[in-house]
Amino acid sequence: MGDNSFGTLFSFTSFGESHGKAIGCIVDGVPPGLPLSEEAIQPYMDRRRPGQNRFVTQRREADKVEILSGVFEEKTTGTPISLIIKNTDQRSKDYGDIAKQYRPGHADFTYDAKYGHRDYRGGGRSSARETAVRVAAGAIADLALKAILGETFQLYGSVVQIGPHEINRDNFDRNQIDQNPFFCGDKEAAKNWEDYLDGVRKQGSSAGAVLEIVASGIPVGLGQPIYGKLDAEIASAMMSINAAKGVEIGSGFGLSAIPGHQAGDEMRIGDDGAPTFLSNHNGGVLGGISTGQDIVARVAIKPTSSILTPRKSISSDGIATDVVTKGRHDPCVGIRGVPVAEAMLAIVLLDQLMRHHAQTAILPR
Amino acid sequence: MGDNSFGTLFSFTSFGESHGKAIGCIVDGVPPGLPLSEEAIQPYMDRRRPGQNRFVTQRREADKVEILSGVFEEKTTGTPISLIIKNTDQRSKDYGDIAKQYRPGHADFTYDAKYGHRDYRGGGRSSARETAVRVAAGAIADLALKAILGETFQLYGSVVQIGPHEINRDNFDRNQIDQNPFFCGDKEAAKNWEDYLDGVRKQGSSAGAVLEIVASGIPVGLGQPIYGKLDAEIASAMMSINAAKGVEIGSGFGLSAIPGHQAGDEMRIGDDGAPTFLSNHNGGVLGGISTGQDIVARVAIKPTSSILTPRKSISSDGIATDVVTKGRHDPCVGIRGVPVAEAMLAIVLLDQLMRHHAQTAILPR
Amino acid sequence: MGDNSFGTLFSFTSFGESHGKAIGCIVDGVPPGLPLSEEAIQPYMDRRRPGQNRFVTQRREADKVEILSGVFEEKTTGTPISLIIKNTDQRSKDYGDIAKQYRPGHADFTYDAKYGHRDYRGGGRSSARETAVRVAAGAIADLALKAILGETFQLYGSVVQIGPHEINRDNFDRNQIDQNPFFCGDKEAAKNWEDYLDGVRKQGSSAGAVLEIVASGIPVGLGQPIYGKLDAEIASAMMSINAAKGVEIGSGFGLSAIPGHQAGDEMRIGDDGAPTFLSNHNGGVLGGISTGQDIVARVAIKPTSSILTPRKSISSDGIATDVVTKGRHDPCVGIRGVPVAEAMLAIVLLDQLMRHHAQTAILPR
Amino acid sequence: MGDNSFGTLFSFTSFGESHGKAIGCIVDGVPPGLPLSEEAIQPYMDRRRPGQNRFVTQRREADKVEILSGVFEEKTTGTPISLIIKNTDQRSKDYGDIAKQYRPGHADFTYDAKYGHRDYRGGGRSSARETAVRVAAGAIADLALKAILGETFQLYGSVVQIGPHEINRDNFDRNQIDQNPFFCGDKEAAKNWEDYLDGVRKQGSSAGAVLEIVASGIPVGLGQPIYGKLDAEIASAMMSINAAKGVEIGSGFGLSAIPGHQAGDEMRIGDDGAPTFLSNHNGGVLGGISTGQDIVARVAIKPTSSILTPRKSISSDGIATDVVTKGRHDPCVGIRGVPVAEAMLAIVLLDQLMRHHAQTAILPR
């Protein structure tokens, strides 16, 4: 598969640079007959869209999605859906200075070394701008999952840490997530983060974040052992997001520290006669297969690499230089990562659901 | 690709259950002309082999690898290499009790729910026994990398945490790793872990671990953005290991907590005239592409799920029961995960090297 | 891989319907540093473009290719290249009559049965319009092959049979191919085909064709046994072309009829000291691997299914009906298949070259 | 995917050389709960097994299949099934002479040129021996299709031409196929072929063949346009068979010669109220999707390349030589190709059925 594609049965292939004519993708394998329109995708885009408050980049992109194929009379036809988003607010001159400079923490150096030829404008292909495409593809996955699984299916992400400051789990309220600029479920934490981020920005620095994505109503059985495990694909999906440096499922690294008799999730038969778990340390995945519990994934996003503070670097000519990145950048790129991580999880889940269905629902049991 | 396969150009497909006749794999895409024999692979197997000390399972498997194809006159031919390891020391009766019980933390429940029919003996396909196959495939990858990259290439893993007890980085000495039963680079920590694990075992419990795998001498440029990123594939590889619940690259989750001006790895021209980095927070990967620095990955392994402490569960008939796992189990399954994680990293690196080569070394620059 | 994708390392993913907004593709895995522009691709498109003479459909499409990504300063960057071709001359009303009718020989019935929802306008996704996308992707492959292999590389196709009328091999002159409306290498045959096709059209019928595609200057060694054989991939590539019903390599079906002592291509050392073959019955492929001789593939294209002659069919409501296809159709769709088949061969060859290179040129011999 | 793998959801990966220890494969994606045993697979092997009459090679292999994994209590578990066939009757010394000679029509030269290192014994990996593995994998596919589709599903192949001698279609009787050494449905033709082949053998030569494989009871809708078309995958499957040089679907090349008003298969509503076709020129595939009619594929197999007649060739040292192949060879390798081509078709059909099911049966219509 091309390296710009993701997914097996439900898949998408992405293209585009930060300052090119457009970005977009082709989504393949979509179940036919799904109601779909540009209007249905747009709300997903709007959640990720830059320029909405002072904690995200001030680049203003409409991020208007256009559907070029695969939809007829507002329903999917089963043929590939081409989605395109035009770039409108590029200011390439902002990047003139850094055409030859390697920004610390950025992919400038590695792209140059790998390809020998690089579209440096706005970070080119390595820009977080590419993530808009994932959100568009993820919107289709999310709508399909809703149509297949019904109302029990829910998928939402939030920021659970900015810089060193975690939320208080006791305060978590899912309804708070869209009430603040941070996709934060803890009202108090959100307030403190405002001050923290204002401080960071004044310093000319930036902050990292930890995101948590949860999916409910996922049937037991999704996941293809051994190398298509549900959690292995979630890990790949999350780590492919710009600036991601870590992924956890359930209690993750914390699970390494507690003894085995506390770690396994015990089971009983629930009041409804169905198997039920007494805890969810494993984040809804055992042996690479969904348990029917909430799927819980966490992603570590490093601090934005484009900052005003001068740092030591070199140019492509091999000359030592001090780099300052002007442009318009997110002080905490992790915040806008929430809709992106949600999209990636939706894509993994739909793809796995289709693969599970293909193998296990074809022979009468 | 089949869900029991891993890799794109250099790939392997695995088979086998804990208590079946044999386990094994087919390794495809091996460069031709590589010196290879069963004797060359065996030392890799021996490092992972059970029954070697009291901190790992007492099941005694010779783990003798047999090559069935793809090697002629002790050199690879470029055709697929079939590797087979016979199972010799199965005691299936140990598992009679749990044929119908779902062990907490295990894949018993999810396999049953997914497939409706399950080889329960020794955990069947979900047993850590499958990881022997990865080590065999990884041995070939490691030998090929050595032949291609020469002596600068080095790849080694170690345990950096058992239960809540981390090593002291100041004590780390790579030469210590093979001098204790824990693949631990800190002599002091290893000593303390002995006591800790003895205690855990007496309790009838088990312990988790954190592994760290490092590869040196990796050229700059490996990694295929956007969805074949080097770190995304490492994440998938590591998370596919039994009991893995988290993956980090470089400083990982720790990077989310520090400010941006400390997080980016600054650059200078080194004494040898080549670009050099002043730190390695990013674990040798930027934008999904290797920087030429050490690749550093960490994996969280949860405590062994098979323990003597009774826990609440249900049977496949839906009856509440208390589960005690007898059998022979690793008190800390993470320890034997080291050679497995090394193998997976070697496989990712060789595969990526071949893909990088195919795209970027074919057109004269 | 998505089912609208083709290729392993050099790959493309296609989208678009006959009467949608646009058709296009994303080409992935392109070697970086290749000079590329819209102007360089356009001549390939123009060869396939409809409306150029009375033997092809009178639909007039500019087939102007636009590059949206992956090219910077007129060189490829190694990132995915998005190519888009806007649809401009749709006359959807031509198809009002057949929205519910299944045209014999067409995919109308099968798309409806498979997907339950179909863009019937102009055949939707099953229209030959999709082949324009292949030509665009193939142009990049052809330009890359030229850059890698140099002038010895040549790739050209021609029509060798229309209806029951074959060319005379003795008259074949490659320079004639672009001198007539049929891509025909035999001047005499081309003249006769004019009369034949005029007759067929007056009858309200159509004609089939056989295409032959030849590639010279291909190095020995391309092809990945056993299931990625060069000829197996050529077969898949050619059979994926609309209306294709057969594929041959070298003497093909004719080889089944002659005795073994005539069939094998004998060898000698040539004047240049290199191995040489005394015949090419095998079409440049032995054991799935290129021999260094000309690669020769032939494709059978059935007669255009959209004809004026009324034929028995049914509607999607299950009512018997007689179908007449008005629209604007090629009397012999095989003719415009030549640039398409050339494109598909170029794509297979570049992809195989990259795969061969990855496996066999990475370890010093 | 590895180049020794075939299939997307139902897939197999093959290994083994003619004179190695064993050949075999791993079959992945098998639906769980399918009754399966070595005894159920063996009859498929026996049909292809050498040494059964004077028209096939006298090498005597038991071709006894052993199942190493993926089956528990005589039912598939959904995990990979490893199948192994030991080589028992190798006479490697037969090949001593040709260790360095390139047999005309064989892959000796191309393997050497590609890989630089080759197991020459018995043709190594390029031997028709590998096809036993396909038959084993195909047996599982056939059994699964029977379990899913029931008795309406039928799949059978036959030889319809040997050398220049075709069967008479009027004499065709499916029940005859297993009554003669040629898998021939025409009793008269079979008689004539005996004489013809005896003559060819006495001459020290060999004969080609054309095979025809038919599948009935295939539901409408299988096939994934555009590049996973049912016929494109059949073409790839068939062309991957040793010595195959051509593939046709339905009337194939013959369809190129007849006018369009005869070529399209007309439709009516049948007596059972379902759509019915009045002919099957298209071999059960339209637009890459099954029509519900019989799937009809034909394969051209070239004459066996290993013959006693001396032919001009060269050695790997570049010296001109005359090659005579002793060994034990099929005078017409096409005959034993029948069970192989049947197996490949079964594999394509099951894989496509699963892919169709995954995309189109997941959303309620």
Side-chain angles (χ1 to χ4, degrees):
Chain A
M1 175 159 50
D3 292 304
N4 290 278
S5 300
F6 187 86
T8 298
L9 293 185
F10 178 87
S11 68
F12 74 103
T13 301
S14 136
F15 75 86
E17 278 84 34
S18 179
H19 289 216
K21 287 187 184 177
I23 59 174
C25 66
I26 301 176
V27 185
D28 205 354
V30 184
L34 179 74
L36 192 71
S37 64
E38 292 166 358
E39 291 68 37
I41 298 174
Q42 199 58 44
Y44 294 84
M45 306 305 297
D46 292 344
R47 288 187 75 215
R48 181 205 154 278
R49 193 152 51 87
Q52 304 190 97
N53 62 60
R54 75 181 185 276
F55 302 106
V56 297
T57 172
Q58 293 308 299
R59 176 171 173 171
R60 294 187 185 277
E61 287 287 357
D63 277 359
K64 183 96 193 71
V65 174
E66 198 179 343
I67 296 176
L68 298 183
S69 67
V71 176
F72 184 59
E73 296 174 345
E74 304 233 316
K75 282 199 295 184
T76 58
T77 60
T79 63
I81 299 176
S82 174
L83 300 171
I84 201 168
I85 303 160
K86 293 200 178 106
N87 287 328
T88 55
D89 185 30
Q90 310 105 313
R91 294 195 200 157
S92 300
K93 65 177 155 29
D94 280 351
Y95 295 92
D97 293 355
I98 56 155
K100 295 187 148 197
Q101 289 178 343
Y102 298 140
R103 291 167 293 168
H106 254 287
D108 302 333
F109 169 67
T110 52
Y111 268 70
D112 240 18
K114 181 179 187 69
Y115 297 117
H117 177 56
R118 175 172 69 97
D119 180 353
Y120 53 78
R121 299 166 305 161
R125 180 73 179 146
S126 73
S127 163
R129 177 117 193 87
E130 190 269 345
T131 60
V133 163
R134 307 176 185 229
V135 173
I140 298 177
D142 191 66
L143 292 165
L145 285 166
K146 285 193 166 90
I148 296 165
L149 300 176
E151 300 228 332
T152 58
F153 168 72
Q154 304 264 335
L155 194 159
Y156 63 93
S158 68
V159 179
V160 296
Q161 181 181 329
I162 285 189
H165 305 294
E166 290 186 54
I167 64 164
N168 179 344
R169 292 273 163 181
D170 296 336
N171 295 345
F172 186 85
D173 173 2
R174 192 184 150 188
N175 297 315
Q176 284 299 319
I177 293 174
D178 288 323
Q179 307 302 319
N180 58 67
F182 306 110
F183 298 113
C184 178
D186 171 356
K187 204 159 66 170
E188 297 303 311
K191 217 168 291 172
N192 297 334
W193 292 350
E194 289 205 23
D195 296 340
Y196 176 70
L197 274 185
D198 280 336
V200 159
R201 211 172 27 179
K202 267 168 213 156
Q203 273 191 288
S205 190
S206 59
V210 176
L211 319 182
E212 185 170 294
I213 319 295
V214 176
S216 308
I218 301 303
V220 60
L222 305 202
Q224 299 291 111
I226 301 288
Y227 301 103
K229 281 178 173 168
L230 180 55
D231 39 2
E233 297 204 347
I234 292 172
S236 164
M238 296 303 164
M239 201 67 102
S240 78
I241 297 174
N242 303 44
K245 299 304 289 188
V247 185
E248 292 180 316
I249 304 295
S251 302
F253 278 86
L255 215 43
S256 294
I258 62 173
H261 61 276
Q262 291 169 15
D265 299 307
E266 295 182 294
M267 298 183 77
R268 277 294 183 241
I269 296 294
D271 297 337
D272 59 351
T276 189
F277 288 88
L278 310 183
S279 58
N280 190 13
H281 292 303
N282 283 286
V285 187
L286 284 173
I289 303 172
S290 64
T291 61
Q293 296 170 277
D294 283 2
I295 307 289
V296 182
R298 254 183 314 282
V299 197
I301 305 287
K302 70 180 182 181
T304 310
S305 297
S306 298
I307 54 175
L308 284 166
T309 306
R311 281 169 306 162
K312 292 176 190 152
S313 189
I314 60 171
S315 72
S316 53
D317 306 322
I319 293 161
T321 179
D322 275 11
V323 172
V324 170
T325 316
K326 286 172 198 156
R328 297 157 294 172
H329 300 284
D330 293 90
C332 174
V333 76
I335 299 168
R336 285 204 295 138
V338 169
V340 179
E342 289 171 344
M344 292 308 288
L345 185 57
I347 289 164
V348 169
L349 289 171
L350 176 59
D351 186 32
Q352 286 276 8
L353 187 68
M354 290 168 71
R355 288 150 73 184
H356 174 64
H357 189 70
Q359 187 185 12
T360 64
I362 200 160
L363 195 68
R365 290 206 185 171
Chain B
M1 176 157 51
D3 291 305
N4 289 278
S5 300
F6 187 85
T8 297
L9 292 186
F10 178 87
S11 68
F12 75 104
T13 301
S14 136
F15 75 88
E17 279 83 34
S18 179
H19 288 216
K21 288 187 183 178
I23 58 174
C25 65
I26 301 175
V27 185
D28 207 355
V30 185
L34 179 74
L36 192 71
S37 64
E38 292 166 359
E39 291 67 39
I41 298 174
Q42 199 58 45
Y44 293 85
M45 304 306 296
D46 292 344
R47 289 187 75 216
R48 180 205 155 278
R49 193 152 50 87
Q52 303 189 100
N53 63 61
R54 74 181 186 277
F55 302 108
V56 297
T57 172
Q58 293 309 299
R59 176 171 173 170
R60 293 189 184 278
E61 289 286 358
D63 278 0
K64 183 97 192 72
V65 174
E66 198 179 344
I67 297 176
L68 299 183
S69 67
V71 176
F72 184 60
E73 295 173 346
E74 304 233 315
K75 283 199 294 185
T76 59
T77 59
T79 63
I81 298 176
S82 174
L83 301 171
I84 201 167
I85 304 160
K86 291 201 178 104
N87 287 328
T88 55
D89 185 29
Q90 310 105 314
R91 295 194 199 157
S92 300
K93 65 176 154 31
D94 281 352
Y95 295 93
D97 295 353
I98 56 154
K100 294 187 148 198
Q101 289 178 343
Y102 299 140
R103 291 167 292 169
H106 255 286
D108 302 333
F109 169 67
T110 52
Y111 268 70
D112 240 17
K114 180 179 186 69
Y115 296 117
H117 178 55
R118 173 172 71 95
D119 180 352
Y120 53 78
R121 299 167 303 161
R125 180 72 178 148
S126 72
S127 164
R129 178 117 193 87
E130 190 269 345
T131 59
V133 163
R134 308 177 186 227
V135 174
I140 299 178
D142 191 66
L143 292 166
L145 285 166
K146 285 192 165 90
I148 296 165
L149 300 176
E151 301 227 334
T152 57
F153 168 71
Q154 305 264 334
L155 192 158
Y156 63 93
S158 67
V159 179
V160 296
Q161 181 181 328
I162 285 189
H165 306 294
E166 290 184 56
I167 63 164
N168 180 342
R169 295 272 162 182
D170 296 337
N171 294 345
F172 186 86
D173 172 4
R174 192 185 150 187
N175 297 317
Q176 283 299 320
I177 293 174
D178 288 322
Q179 307 303 318
N180 58 67
F182 306 110
F183 298 114
C184 178
D186 171 357
K187 204 159 63 170
E188 298 303 312
K191 217 169 291 172
N192 297 335
W193 291 351
E194 287 206 24
D195 297 339
Y196 175 71
L197 273 186
D198 280 334
V200 159
R201 212 173 26 179
K202 269 169 212 156
Q203 273 191 289
S205 191
S206 59
V210 176
L211 320 181
E212 185 170 294
I213 318 297
V214 177
S216 307
I218 301 302
V220 61
L222 306 201
Q224 299 291 111
I226 298 289
Y227 300 103
K229 281 177 174 168
L230 180 55
D231 40 2
E233 296 204 347
I234 291 172
S236 164
M238 296 303 165
M239 201 66 101
S240 78
I241 297 174
N242 303 45
K245 300 304 291 186
V247 186
E248 293 180 315
I249 304 296
S251 303
F253 279 85
L255 215 44
S256 295
I258 61 172
H261 62 275
Q262 291 170 16
D265 299 308
E266 295 182 295
M267 299 183 76
R268 278 294 183 242
I269 295 295
D271 296 337
D272 58 353
T276 188
F277 288 88
L278 310 184
S279 58
N280 189 14
H281 292 303
N282 283 287
V285 187
L286 283 173
I289 302 171
S290 64
T291 62
Q293 297 171 276
D294 283 2
I295 307 289
V296 182
R298 252 182 317 282
V299 197
I301 304 288
K302 69 180 182 182
T304 311
S305 297
S306 298
I307 56 174
L308 284 165
T309 306
R311 281 169 305 163
K312 293 176 190 152
S313 189
I314 60 171
S315 71
S316 52
D317 306 321
I319 293 162
T321 181
D322 274 12
V323 172
V324 170
T325 316
K326 287 170 198 156
R328 297 157 295 173
H329 299 284
D330 294 89
C332 175
V333 76
I335 299 168
R336 286 204 294 138
V338 168
V340 180
E342 288 171 345
M344 293 308 290
L345 184 57
I347 289 164
V348 169
L349 289 171
L350 176 59
D351 187 33
Q352 287 276 7
L353 187 68
M354 289 169 70
R355 288 149 74 185
H356 174 64
H357 190 70
Q359 187 184 11
T360 64
I362 200 160
L363 196 68
R365 289 207 187 172
Chain C
M1 175 157 51
D3 292 305
N4 289 279
S5 301
F6 187 86
T8 298
L9 291 186
F10 178 86
S11 69
F12 75 104
T13 300
S14 135
F15 75 87
E17 279 84 34
S18 180
H19 288 216
K21 287 187 183 177
I23 58 174
C25 65
I26 301 174
V27 185
D28 205 355
V30 184
L34 179 74
L36 191 71
S37 64
E38 292 167 357
E39 291 67 38
I41 298 175
Q42 199 57 43
Y44 293 84
M45 305 305 296
D46 292 344
R47 288 188 75 217
R48 181 207 153 277
R49 191 152 52 86
Q52 304 190 96
N53 63 60
R54 74 179 185 279
F55 302 107
V56 297
T57 173
Q58 293 308 299
R59 176 171 173 171
R60 294 187 185 279
E61 288 286 358
D63 278 359
K64 184 98 193 69
V65 174
E66 199 178 344
I67 296 175
L68 298 183
S69 67
V71 176
F72 183 60
E73 295 173 346
E74 303 235 314
K75 284 199 293 182
T76 58
T77 59
T79 63
I81 299 176
S82 174
L83 300 171
I84 202 168
I85 304 160
K86 289 194 182 112
N87 287 328
T88 54
D89 185 29
Q90 310 105 311
R91 294 194 199 158
S92 299
K93 66 176 154 28
D94 281 351
Y95 295 91
D97 294 354
I98 56 153
K100 294 187 148 196
Q101 289 178 344
Y102 298 141
R103 290 167 294 169
H106 254 286
D108 302 333
F109 169 68
T110 52
Y111 267 71
D112 240 17
K114 181 180 186 72
Y115 297 116
H117 178 56
R118 174 174 68 96
D119 179 352
Y120 54 79
R121 298 167 304 161
R125 181 72 178 147
S126 72
S127 164
R129 177 120 194 85
E130 189 270 346
T131 60
V133 163
R134 307 177 186 228
V135 174
I140 298 177
D142 191 66
L143 292 165
L145 284 167
K146 285 193 166 91
I148 296 165
L149 300 176
E151 300 229 332
T152 58
F153 168 72
Q154 303 264 333
L155 192 159
Y156 62 94
S158 68
V159 179
V160 295
Q161 182 181 329
I162 285 189
H165 305 294
E166 290 185 54
I167 64 163
N168 179 343
R169 293 272 162 182
D170 296 337
N171 294 344
F172 187 87
D173 173 3
R174 192 186 150 185
N175 297 316
Q176 284 298 319
I177 293 174
D178 288 324
Q179 307 302 318
N180 57 66
F182 307 110
F183 297 113
C184 178
D186 170 357
K187 202 158 69 169
E188 297 303 312
K191 217 169 290 171
N192 297 334
W193 291 351
E194 289 207 20
D195 296 341
Y196 175 71
L197 273 186
D198 281 335
V200 159
R201 210 172 30 177
K202 269 169 210 154
Q203 273 191 288
S205 191
S206 60
V210 177
L211 320 182
E212 185 170 295
I213 318 296
V214 177
S216 307
I218 301 302
V220 61
L222 305 202
Q224 299 291 110
I226 300 290
Y227 301 101
K229 282 178 173 168
L230 180 55
D231 39 2
E233 296 204 346
I234 292 172
S236 164
M238 296 302 165
M239 201 67 101
S240 78
I241 297 174
N242 303 45
K245 300 302 291 186
V247 185
E248 293 180 316
I249 303 296
S251 302
F253 279 86
L255 215 44
S256 295
I258 62 172
H261 61 275
Q262 291 170 17
D265 300 308
E266 295 182 294
M267 299 184 77
R268 279 293 181 243
I269 296 295
D271 297 337
D272 59 352
T276 186
F277 289 87
L278 310 182
S279 58
N280 189 13
H281 292 302
N282 284 288
V285 186
L286 284 172
I289 302 171
S290 64
T291 62
Q293 296 171 276
D294 282 3
I295 307 289
V296 181
R298 253 184 315 283
V299 198
I301 305 288
K302 69 178 182 182
T304 311
S305 297
S306 298
I307 56 175
L308 283 165
T309 305
R311 282 170 303 162
K312 292 174 190 154
S313 189
I314 59 171
S315 71
S316 53
D317 307 321
I319 292 162
T321 180
D322 275 12
V323 172
V324 170
T325 316
K326 287 172 197 155
R328 296 157 295 174
H329 300 284
D330 294 89
C332 175
V333 75
I335 299 168
R336 285 204 292 139
V338 169
V340 180
E342 289 171 344
M344 293 308 289
L345 185 57
I347 290 164
V348 169
L349 290 170
L350 176 58
D351 187 32
Q352 286 276 8
L353 188 67
M354 289 168 72
R355 288 149 74 184
H356 174 64
H357 189 71
Q359 187 185 11
T360 64
I362 199 159
L363 196 67
R365 290 208 187 170
Chain D
M1 176 157 51
D3 291 305
N4 289 277
S5 301
F6 187 86
T8 298
L9 292 186
F10 178 86
S11 68
F12 75 104
T13 301
S14 137
F15 75 88
E17 278 84 33
S18 179
H19 288 216
K21 288 187 183 178
I23 58 174
C25 65
I26 301 175
V27 185
D28 205 356
V30 184
L34 180 74
L36 192 70
S37 63
E38 292 166 358
E39 292 67 38
I41 298 174
Q42 199 58 42
Y44 292 84
M45 306 305 296
D46 292 343
R47 289 187 75 215
R48 181 205 154 278
R49 193 153 50 86
Q52 305 189 96
N53 63 60
R54 74 181 186 276
F55 302 107
V56 297
T57 172
Q58 293 309 299
R59 175 169 174 172
R60 293 187 186 279
E61 288 286 358
D63 279 0
K64 185 95 192 71
V65 175
E66 200 179 342
I67 297 175
L68 298 183
S69 66
V71 176
F72 183 60
E73 296 174 345
E74 304 235 314
K75 283 199 294 183
T76 58
T77 59
T79 63
I81 299 176
S82 174
L83 300 170
I84 202 168
I85 304 160
K86 290 193 181 112
N87 288 328
T88 55
D89 185 29
Q90 310 106 310
R91 295 193 199 158
S92 299
K93 65 176 154 30
D94 281 352
Y95 295 91
D97 294 355
I98 56 154
K100 293 188 149 196
Q101 289 178 344
Y102 298 140
R103 291 167 295 169
H106 255 287
D108 302 332
F109 169 67
T110 51
Y111 267 72
D112 240 18
K114 180 179 186 72
Y115 297 116
H117 176 56
R118 174 174 68 96
D119 179 351
Y120 54 78
R121 300 166 304 160
R125 181 73 180 146
S126 72
S127 164
R129 178 120 194 85
E130 189 269 346
T131 60
V133 163
R134 307 177 187 228
V135 173
I140 299 177
D142 191 65
L143 292 165
L145 285 166
K146 284 194 166 91
I148 296 165
L149 300 176
E151 300 228 333
T152 57
F153 168 72
Q154 304 264 333
L155 192 158
Y156 63 94
S158 68
V159 179
V160 296
Q161 181 181 329
I162 286 189
H165 305 294
E166 291 185 53
I167 64 164
N168 179 341
R169 294 273 162 181
D170 296 337
N171 294 344
F172 186 86
D173 172 4
R174 193 187 148 186
N175 297 316
Q176 284 298 319
I177 292 174
D178 288 324
Q179 306 302 318
N180 58 67
F182 306 111
F183 298 113
C184 177
D186 171 357
K187 203 158 66 169
E188 297 303 311
K191 218 168 292 172
N192 298 334
W193 291 350
E194 288 206 23
D195 296 341
Y196 175 70
L197 273 186
D198 280 335
V200 158
R201 213 173 26 179
K202 270 169 211 155
Q203 272 191 290
S205 190
S206 60
V210 177
L211 320 182
E212 185 170 297
I213 319 296
V214 177
S216 308
I218 301 302
V220 60
L222 306 201
Q224 299 292 109
I226 300 290
Y227 300 103
K229 281 178 174 168
L230 180 55
D231 40 1
E233 297 204 345
I234 292 172
S236 163
M238 296 302 164
M239 201 67 102
S240 78
I241 297 174
N242 304 45
K245 300 303 290 187
V247 185
E248 293 180 317
I249 304 296
S251 302
F253 279 86
L255 215 43
S256 294
I258 62 172
H261 61 277
Q262 291 169 16
D265 300 307
E266 294 181 296
M267 298 184 78
R268 279 294 181 241
I269 295 296
D271 296 337
D272 60 351
T276 188
F277 288 87
L278 310 183
S279 59
N280 190 12
H281 292 303
N282 284 288
V285 187
L286 283 173
I289 302 171
S290 65
T291 62
Q293 296 171 277
D294 282 2
I295 307 290
V296 182
R298 254 183 314 282
V299 197
I301 305 288
K302 69 179 183 182
T304 311
S305 297
S306 298
I307 56 175
L308 284 165
T309 306
R311 282 169 302 163
K312 294 176 189 154
S313 189
I314 59 171
S315 71
S316 53
D317 307 322
I319 293 161
T321 179
D322 274 12
V323 172
V324 170
T325 316
K326 286 173 199 153
R328 296 157 295 172
H329 300 285
D330 293 90
C332 175
V333 77
I335 300 168
R336 286 205 292 139
V338 169
V340 180
E342 288 171 345
M344 294 307 289
L345 185 57
I347 290 163
V348 169
L349 289 171
L350 177 58
D351 186 33
Q352 286 276 7
L353 187 68
M354 289 168 71
R355 287 148 75 184
H356 174 63
H357 190 70
Q359 188 185 11
T360 64
I362 200 160
L363 196 67
R365 289 206 186 172

